[in-house]
Every structure is written in structure tokens, then in C-alpha cells.
Amino acid sequence: EKEKFREKELESVSSKDMEDYIGFANLPNQVYRKAVKRGFDFTILVVGESGLGKSTLINSLFFTDIYSNEYPGPSQRIKKTVQVETSKVILRENGVNLTLTIVDTPGFGDAVDNSVCWQPVLNYVESKYEDYLHAESRVHRTTIVDTRVHCCLYFISPGHGLKPLDLEFMKKLHDKVNLIPLVAKADTMTPEECNQFKKTVLNEITQSKIRIYEFPDCDDEEENKHQKRIKERIPFAVVGSNVIVEANGKRVRGRKYPWGVVEVENMEHCDFVALRNIMIRTHLQDLKDVTNNIHYENYRCLKLGAVGKSGTTANKNPLAHMEEERKDHENKMKRMEREMEQVFDMKVKEKLNKLRESESELNRRSEQMRKTLDQQKRELYQKWKEFEKERTTFEVTNQDMDDTHRRLTLTLDMS
Ligand code: GDP
């Protein structure tokens, strides 16, 4: 088409006066040829629990078996920790090369505790920004290979609504990457259930103030009308399939069930075509632009801002620098003094507590001893009383015996 455009343009030029023709009208063709020659890089991050049909959908999107060689079957991919794996393919269509990188995150949401399973994904996204920033700030900048993540397809499990992990993930990543939420395995729901589910998901996303990627309008009015209908389908409910089946005498990519065939590329069956059209045919470049102009720029500003803050003293005059250092030192000493006072107070308090404890222990013991002594005293007194009683009885008995004896002696004497 571009070539035809160029030919037409040259025809119109030749019909005019060649003297008036400068040639910049040909610039778009130059840019086009250069871009085609260079090819395009595009990176898609796919996130979602195992078995939601991520690899099947990616293969369906690009009519290829991206995962066939490097990617084991789903059952083998269930891992306890989240991993980040990349697969790369070079696709060619009408002489245009697209280097497509698919970043998968096997293990996402599969563990018992998924509280931080978004972290490896976030690390990956940021590491790619870091690589790009590094490449940009090199003295000799050759053509930079753009490995940044241009969009994230987030697979939502069909059901009643978003899970806490879905919300957590989107909140962590929505300002770092272009988020496109997808309802996975849409063929497992009836059309009514699917529409209801989409509404619930969209509501929850809005209420949680999560910003998903907004497909912008284009310049063409007609195209906008068409795209509006596509945008109404967000979040796209998708169906994937790796096989070609027969439906109504046609061979189509689909899923065959006893009651009929779900056609992947039938807009009445699912939103697969809507997703493919808007993501690849019309908005691939915008996804790249938003990544570069917004997400990467945010990252860059934060990063360079942090460097700027730590490097503020470098530009000051030496006296101001010394004065600042002196103040810093003073503050440090004061802080140390305060800390030492706090430690001293703490130690004194500890000592006082210990003394109080030992004092109460001594009191307790002396009370115990006093009680024991009282008890012993009472027992002795009791014994003494008993002894006194015995003694009196003994003395009385003894007196009686003496009297008897005396009387007997007297009687004997008289006789
Ligand atoms: P992944 O672990 O998320 O990559 O999931 P796979 O693509 O490996 O798919 C897991 C299973 O789900 C496979 O048996 C697929 O055939 C099946 N599957 C994939 N996409 C769909 C779909 O759209 N609908 C249904 N019902 N099953 C699907």
C-alpha cells in the first residue's frame, strides 16, 4: 500500500512542475522503509494461575506454537515459587518482522501463600526499565534493543469476581505496565453469566482505583465508531485453542464439544478477535508509546530523582559543605547523647525494678519466718501447758501417796 502511495505521489509530482518539488513529502516512506527494515520489538507479559489457558491463547493470537519446544505441558509447569520465563519468536507478515517476546510467570497464584507472588513479576518489569536506562546513559549508544514489557495480559479465572490476589497484583503493577485484564476460558460460562462477570470485574477494578490500559481514540471517525463497540467488550472474555475443527463446513480454530463448536475467531462466541484487533492491529504502537512515555518515564524520573537527592552536596561550595557537615556532626552527637541518656535511664529503671523485686522477696521471706516462729511458739506454749498439767497431777498423786505412807507408818508405830 505504501509503495502504491509513493508511486501515486511521484505521478502527481511529475504532472506538476518538478522545479517546485522539494521532496519531503517522501519522508513518511523513508521512515516506513527504515522501520520495516529494523523490524519491531514487542513484549507481552502473561500472568495468571496455571491452567487458565495462557499459552493456548498466545499461540492462538500469533498462529504459532511459541511454547512447543521450550515449554512443557501445564501439569509440569505447576511450581511452588513464581518464576519468570521468556520465549522469543520472530514473526514475519508481508515482509514486516516482529520480534515477539512472551514473558510467562509459571507458579503465579499456585502456592498456598501467594502474598508476595507479584514481587518477581514487578522485579522483572523494573529490571527491564533499568536495562533500558543503562543502555540510554552509555557513552556509545548503539541501537537500543527494547526489552521493556509493553503490555501485561492478566488472566482472570471465571467465577464470581476478582480474587484478593488479582486486586493485589493489579494495584502493584497498574502504574508500571499497561494492564489488559482478560476473562479466561469464557466458554465455561453462558453469555449472560459472562456479561455479568465482566460487569462485576470492571466495577471492582474501578472501585479499587486500578488503572487499566485505555485504548485511545484514533483520528478516523468511522474507525472510532467501530472501536467503541470493541472497547465496550473490555475486559475481553477469551477462548483459546490449538486445534482446527470443522464448524458449519468451515475449518476454524475452535473447541469442539458434544453440543457444538466454540469458534475462537467468532465475535459472537468470545472477544478473541476484538482483543487481537485492538492490541495488535491498531494499538501495538500506542502500547509501546505509553510504555515509553509514561511508565518508563515515571521509572526514570524516580530513579534519577533519587540519584539527584543523594548527589545534592556535590554542587555546593566547600564552606557551605563544611558547615553542613559540622551541623550533621553536631546533630549526630546530640542524637548519640540522647540515645545514651535513654540507655542510662533504662538501666537505672532496670536496677530499681530488680531492687524492688529483691526487697519484696526479702519481705516475703521474713513474713514467712515470722509465721513459722509464731507457730513454733504456739506449739511450745501448748506443750508447756500440757507439761504443767502433768506436773500438777503428778504432785497431787505424790501428796496422796505421802499421806498414805505417813498414815501407814503411824499405824504401824502405834501397833
Ligand atoms: P496455562 O497454564 O495458563 O498456560 O494454560 P494452558 O494454555 O496450558 O491450558 C490449560 C488447559 O486448559 C489445557 O488443557 C487447554 O486445552 C485448556 N484451555 C486453554 N484455553 C482454554 C479455553 O479457552 N477454554 C477452555 N475450556 N479450556 C481451555
Side-chain angles (χ1 to χ4, degrees), residues 292-310:
N292 186 57
N293 302 341
I294 299 177
H295 300 306
Y296 171 65
E297 203 53 29
N298 278 346
Y299 176 84
R300 205 175 134 265
C301 284
L302 280 175
K303 202 74 196 187
L304 297 182
V307 171
K309 263 180 210 150
S310 63

Side-chain angles (χ1 to χ4, degrees), residues 49-56 74 77 185 187 239-240 255 257:
E49 289 163 35
S50 297
L52 281 183
K54 300 185 293 296
S55 39
T56 313
R77 284 185 9 239
K185 296 189 173 179
D187 56 325
V239 174
R255 305 187 71 81
Y257 291 108

